[in-house]
Structure formats: structure tokens, C-alpha cells
Amino acid sequence: MSYQILSLKLRPQRFDEVVGQMHVTRTLQNAIGLDRVAHGYIFSGPRGVGKTTTARILAKVLNCKNPLENNPCGTCINCREITRGSSLDVQELDGASNRGIDEMRDLREAVKYPPNSGKYRIYIIDEVHMLTREAFNALLKTLEEPPAHVIFIMATTDAHKVPTTILSRTQRFDFKPISINDISDYLIQILKTENIKYDAEGIRLIAQKAAGSLRDALSLLDQVIAYSSDSLDVETMRDILGIIKENVYLNIIKIIDKRDNEKVVYQLNQLINAGFAISDFISGFNEYLRNCMLQKAGDSAEINMSDNSLGWLQTACRFTTADFLRMLDLSLQFESNLKFIQQPHIAMEALFIKLSMMDSSIDIAQILSGEEPTTVLEQPTSIEQSKPLENIPLTEISDPTPTPSVESEPKPETEQILTLEDITNSWSKIIAQLEKKNSKIVHFLEEAKLCSFDGKQLLIEIINGHRFHLKTLDKDAGQIESVMNDILNQKIRIKFHIQDNSEKKTEKKKAESTEHPLFMKVLETFEGEIIR
């Protein structure tokens, strides 16, 4: 196929063709002009903003035979070979595929040899953060004492994963996301060159969808051109890119304002049935909430909203800035967890029902000053409608004057006063009932002694017992208490202890003292005893 996609066809070949990275390209050009080129560079930043492209341009200008104003000429043999990717002096490595120590050792051997036709041997390592720790250590030695003819240019989207020992031995340049205006202007320039009619609003939609990545914007433009051929209208772009109209979000937020749970779920299902992806919808909804929040806060300088949205926000909207902030917080949490949710459709319905049941916030300053709240709160009709405390901002409060309960608590019925004698008289019945449920604990209780009862707790002494018996009875104490409650008609707590036999303890200590310390440690760890 002779056709090249736009991102390859229009790849910049000079520093002044790189879009939106003037702070990087100008610094590199000045360094070349002053002959202050470093032996190692780190280019970091998001995807599709020009890191690898800038690395190739730098490699070309450093080996160019006829540089023009610190830019490569593009016509000499070295420039053409680097552009084609066939230069022996410029090697590109993929950090994800060549991430081991063996590859770095081979590279260390290769840097010893001088360049073939250019001034430098240049190594461009893409996604360098993918290298292993051992590979980084092998590369570190070369970076510490590099040959004069070698330059390393490393690109990464995750600079925080690169060891500080590598970062400290290189010059780091941070590439920033490209602005919507810069992307829009660049796309319009392309369409004019290609003689394709376009809608400016649609081009801006592509720039917004690209989220700062020029490569993504060019890919989207390729997709739109393939569908629409010689004319790009905004509605076609919306359909292809999956962008939902602003009025859809306005209608949904109005339904949330009216607390109409049934209708909000119906609207969501209509969108999903129309083929819109949940991720696209929630991303657009969050953007709309953000615009509403900023509009309410008075920061509307760079907010692009329709007249319908602005009119509703200024006249009919009951939500405050704090309300939009709370809704945005919940919706952003949903978006960040979306890829881990097993049933996103159900989770989205739950989110929007929760949003429609939220109460409005009240400024605490109004309450402290004694003023009437400007927003009338509706009392929730169920527990689910109450705002969770952790979702309320520190400067807000949902219900400043809770109504105290006027109903008196029912007085507890007078319980029968039991004595130790009453329990002792009923002990045989308790044992008989326990025999039916758990014969094991009955065996331990047959020689038990009822020591004392303070009206709530019964102290039971286990004669000739061991810690094993005590643990077993403590484990089944709830079952014993239940049987006692049924027979005595009163809730009683029980506590067990073992008979204190000083002579037995003395004998045991004497026996234990003759044992090996390690043996005694095992007994202590597993709560065992010596049986002679």
C-alpha cells in the first residue's frame, strides 16, 4: 500500500515543525549552537507529544553535514539515512523488547567503536523505564564514563520508574500535553493543505478527544476523513468519535435536580441502547460537571458551554458549587474504577440514582450567623437518601438542626431477681438440656463449681481442669448462656476459671525446671503440658 497515515506522513523533520514543545526545541537548538551538547538526555512526557520525533531530529542535526540554523538540512546522506532508519550511526532500541542485561552488555561493547560517517554514535532508547534493574546498572557504567563520540537519548512516559542514578547523569526534558488550540490549528492547516472542507467545531471536538496527544488527534482525523471523504461536518464527527451532545448531559442533570430516579435510569438505558460506550459517556459527563462547577464558582473565562446550559445554571439550577463538587467526586471515583467493575451498566445506574437522591449543601456561615438557608432541603424518605458523613465537605453541613425525638423510650420490664441458689437448683436441668446440644462440654461441666453470681455474671470454677478445657468452654460459652437464658428467663453472662492447685503447680514447675529450655519453649508456644 502506498498510502501513509497522517501521523507518519506528517512527522516533523525540523525543530520548528514540532508542535507545542518550544521550551524543549529552543533549548536544544541553543545547546547545539553553543556546542554544549550533553552525552545523555531523558525525554519524558505523555504519549504522542513528540518525544521520539524530537530525538530523531536531534540525532539528524548532530550528524548533519550541512546544518541550517541548528536544524538538519534533510538532504545530505546522513539525514536521509536517519530518516529512512538505515543509518549505522543512529540506533533505535525499544526498551520493552531489549530490556535485559545481555542487550545492555552488547551495547556497552558497541559504543567502543567510532561512528562510520557522522560525528556521533547516537542511541535512542524508547520506553527506557521498561529496562530491568540489572540492565540499568549495566547502562549506568557507560553513562558515567561515556566515550566522546557517544550520545544517549532516552524517551519514557514514566520518568518516575527510571532510577535516580540514571536521571542524575542525564539532562531531563519534560514534554507537556499539547493544548487544544495548538492541536486544532495544526489539524486545520492539514485539512487546508488536503483541500478538505471542515467544521471548526468538529475539529475542536477531535482536539478535545485527543487529550493532549497530537498523534491521537491525527489518528482520529484519519478515521473521520476515511468515513466522510471530502467534507467533515460536526454531526458526522460526533457519531464517529462517540461524542455525546451537551444537551443530553443537560437533560440528565435536570432530571437529577428533580430527583426523578425512574426517568434518569430510562435516559441512561436510551444512551446505552443507542450504542454509546459507558466510558465515553461518563468521561463527557464528568467534563460537563466540571464546567458547571466552574461556572457556578464564577470562573467561566475559558468554559465553552451552550446558551441552554448557561441559562439553566443562572436561573433554574438549585445546585451550588459544593453540590457539583460532591457529584463530580462520586462520578470521578466511578470512572477511575470502571475497568475493574464486573457489571458497569448496573454500577452506572446505581451511581445516578445516588446522585439524584443527594440533598443540597448549606453553607455553615449562614447557620452560624442565624440566617435562613437559601436552599430548601427536602427531608429524605429513607435511610438511603441521607447523605453519608464522609461525602460532606468540611465547610458544609446537610442538616444543621436535627429534630430531637419526642417519643419516650419504652421502660424495660422488671426482671426476676435471681440468686446463686436459684441457679444451683436449676443446674441439673441446664446440664440435661446441654446434653442434647453438646455432650462434649457437659463432660467438662459435670465437676464444675458455681462460685458466685453478681446478678449479671456467673463465675464457674472447673475442678481438675486444664487450659484446653477452659478454651473449649470459652468457645462454647454462647451456647451455654443461651440454654441458661431459656431455663431461667434472664440473660446471664458466664465466666470460667481453673481450680488453683498450688501443690500441683509446684510439682509441675519442679518437673519443668529439669527439661531442656527448647522443649519448654514448645510447651509454652502450643500451650501443652507434660504428662508423666
Side-chain angles (χ1 to χ4, degrees):
M1 294 179 64
S2 59
Y3 174 73
Q4 272 190 313
I5 61 173
L6 293 176
S7 58
L8 295 180
K9 177 182 177 182
L10 303 175
R11 183 187 290 273
Q13 302 299 324
R14 296 165 51 88
F15 282 123
D16 49 17
E17 294 176 359
V18 179
V19 179
Q21 309 297 344
M22 181 70 71
H23 64 294
V24 176
T25 56
R26 179 173 293 178
T27 304
L28 292 174
Q29 284 181 289
N30 291 342
I32 294 168
L34 297 172
D35 195 21
R36 299 178 64 88
V37 179
H39 67 273
Y41 293 94
I42 287 279
F43 291 169
S44 66
R47 69 182 191 281
V49 295
K51 300 185 297 297
T52 306
T53 295
T54 304
R56 290 175 179 173
I57 296 173
L58 178 59
K60 280 201 294 185
V61 73
L62 290 176
N63 279 345
C64 181
K65 294 183 179 296
N66 305 302
L68 303 172
E69 298 179 353
N70 300 323
N71 270 301
C73 68
T75 57
C76 69
I77 183 64
N78 288 346
C79 285
R80 294 201 303 271
E81 286 182 350
I82 294 172
T83 301
R84 292 195 303 265
S86 59
S87 174
L88 296 177
D89 293 334
V90 178
Q91 300 291 320
E92 290 193 33
L93 302 175
D94 179 17
S97 305
N98 304 276
R99 60 193 306 265
I101 188 172
D102 293 335
E103 288 83 357
M104 290 302 107
R105 284 174 177 167
D106 293 341
L107 187 148
R108 285 176 58 182
E109 292 297 319
V111 299
K112 297 177 182 178
Y113 302 101
N116 289 307
S117 59
K119 184 178 179 181
Y120 297 99
R121 287 184 70 87
I122 300 172
Y123 293 90
I124 300 174
I125 306 177
D126 205 4
E127 300 300 331
V128 70
H129 65 273
M130 297 292 289
L131 296 183
T132 63
R133 183 179 61 181
E134 293 77 13
F136 272 125
N137 291 335
L139 178 63
L140 182 61
K141 183 63 177 177
T142 306
L143 285 174
E144 286 177 338
E145 301 173 0
H149 60 268
V150 172
I151 293 177
F152 288 95
I153 308 174
M154 295 168 278
T156 177
T157 54
D158 296 300
H160 63 279
K161 295 182 180 179
V162 179
T164 54
T165 51
I166 299 291
L167 294 175
S168 64
R169 289 167 173 81
T170 57
Q171 287 188 13
R172 175 174 171 177
F173 289 89
D174 291 321
F175 286 64
K176 60 185 180 182
I178 303 174
S179 69
I180 293 176
N181 290 334
D182 285 344
I183 294 177
S184 299
D185 293 341
Y186 187 70
L187 297 183
I188 289 173
Q189 181 182 346
I190 294 171
L191 293 174
K192 287 180 178 179
T193 304
E194 299 287 334
N195 293 321
I196 299 176
K197 297 179 182 179
Y198 63 90
D199 190 315
E201 184 182 351
I203 298 301
R204 192 169 182 84
L205 290 177
I206 293 178
Q208 291 175 340
K209 183 82 171 179
S213 172
L214 186 59
R215 184 173 62 224
D216 288 0
L218 291 173
S219 298
L220 292 172
L221 184 61
D222 253 329
Q223 184 179 349
V224 172
I225 292 174
Y227 180 87
S228 303
S229 185
D230 58 349
S231 180
L232 309 181
D233 62 275
V234 64
E235 294 303 325
T236 302
M237 293 186 190
R238 285 186 187 277
D239 292 340
I240 296 173
L241 301 177
I243 297 175
I244 300 173
K245 293 182 179 180
E246 183 181 304
N247 280 341
V248 174
Y249 296 123
L250 174 60
N251 291 335
I252 289 178
I253 204 71
K254 284 181 178 180
I255 296 171
I256 292 174
D257 189 11
K258 296 176 181 178
R259 301 175 179 270
D260 193 338
N261 299 337
E262 182 179 351
K263 194 170 182 180
V264 76
V265 171
Y266 174 78
Q267 290 290 337
L268 293 176
N269 289 330
Q270 289 289 101
L271 285 169
I272 300 304
N273 293 337
F276 291 103
I278 292 178
S279 57
D280 290 339
F281 167 74
I282 203 68
S283 177
F285 182 72
N286 287 340
E287 180 71 19
Y288 186 75
L289 284 179
R290 173 253 185 191
N291 291 341
C292 291
M293 178 183 67
L294 295 181
Q295 180 67 32
K296 277 290 185 177
D299 184 11
S300 57
E302 297 184 2
I303 298 176
N304 185 21
M305 300 187 75
S306 67
D307 293 337
N308 290 338
S309 295
L310 292 175
W312 176 76
L313 286 169
Q314 294 169 2
T315 59
C317 176
R318 70 178 175 90
F319 295 132
T320 63
T321 304
D323 294 327
F324 283 118
L325 178 61
R326 289 165 54 208
M327 287 190 286
L328 184 59
D329 183 49
L330 289 174
S331 191
L332 286 172
Q333 289 181 28
F334 173 81
E335 184 178 15
S336 64
N337 296 327
L338 186 58
K339 58 184 177 182
F340 305 109
I341 299 175
Q342 295 294 327
Q343 299 191 36
H345 190 172
I346 297 175
M348 183 176 66
E349 291 176 342
L351 168 67
F352 278 84
I353 290 176
K354 184 184 295 185
L355 293 178
S356 66
M357 296 172 68
M358 290 176 64
D359 289 324
S360 297
S361 301
I362 298 178
D363 192 342
I364 195 170
Q366 290 181 318
I367 301 161
L368 296 178
S369 62
E371 298 178 9
E372 290 294 328
T374 56
T375 305
V376 179
L377 300 183
E378 298 182 17
Q379 294 296 329
T381 57
S382 64
I383 294 177
E384 287 79 5
Q385 285 179 281
S386 302
K387 265 187 312 189
L389 186 60
E390 61 270 17
N391 290 336
I392 305 177
L394 291 177
T395 58
E396 307 294 329
I397 186 169
S398 63
D399 193 358
T401 54
T403 305
S405 176
V406 296
E407 296 181 3
S408 59
E409 296 183 359
K411 296 181 180 180
E413 297 179 1
T414 304
E415 296 181 349
Q416 180 184 358
I417 300 176
L418 287 177
T419 63
L420 181 61
E421 184 180 358
D422 295 331
I423 299 175
T424 303
N425 294 336
S426 302
W427 190 245
S428 59
K429 293 182 181 179
I430 295 171
I431 294 295
Q433 189 65 25
L434 283 172
E435 180 72 35
K436 300 176 182 179
K437 295 187 175 183
N438 193 336
S439 59
K440 178 182 67 175
I441 58 177
V442 170
H443 175 71
F444 297 151
L445 292 174
E446 285 177 345
E447 297 183 6
K449 178 182 177 182
L450 307 184
C451 295
S452 62
F453 178 64
D454 60 2
K456 293 183 179 180
Q457 186 179 76
L458 174 65
L459 181 62
I460 303 177
E461 182 179 285
I462 308 302
I463 302 173
N464 297 324
H466 302 289
R467 279 179 291 183
F468 169 72
H469 302 153
L470 196 62
K471 277 192 171 184
T472 302
L473 289 170
D474 284 338
K475 181 180 178 182
D476 295 326
Q479 193 175 41
I480 301 171
E481 290 173 352
S482 176
V483 172
M484 294 179 67
N485 293 345
D486 292 341
I487 294 176
L488 299 173
N489 295 321
Q490 184 172 325
K491 188 173 182 179
I492 298 174
R493 289 183 289 106
I494 55 176
K495 183 178 180 181
F496 299 98
H497 77 100
I498 304 173
Q499 183 185 43
D500 185 11
N501 190 329
S502 58
E503 293 182 0
K504 183 178 179 182
K505 288 185 177 180
T506 304
E507 292 175 0
K508 183 177 180 182
K509 286 183 179 178
K510 288 180 180 179
E512 289 176 351
S513 63
T514 63
E515 301 293 344
H516 192 280
L518 183 59
F519 182 69
M520 300 310 302
K521 183 65 176 177
V522 173
L523 287 179
E524 180 182 348
T525 303
F526 295 100
E527 298 183 353
E529 62 178 337
I530 301 174
I531 301 177
R532 304 286 183 181

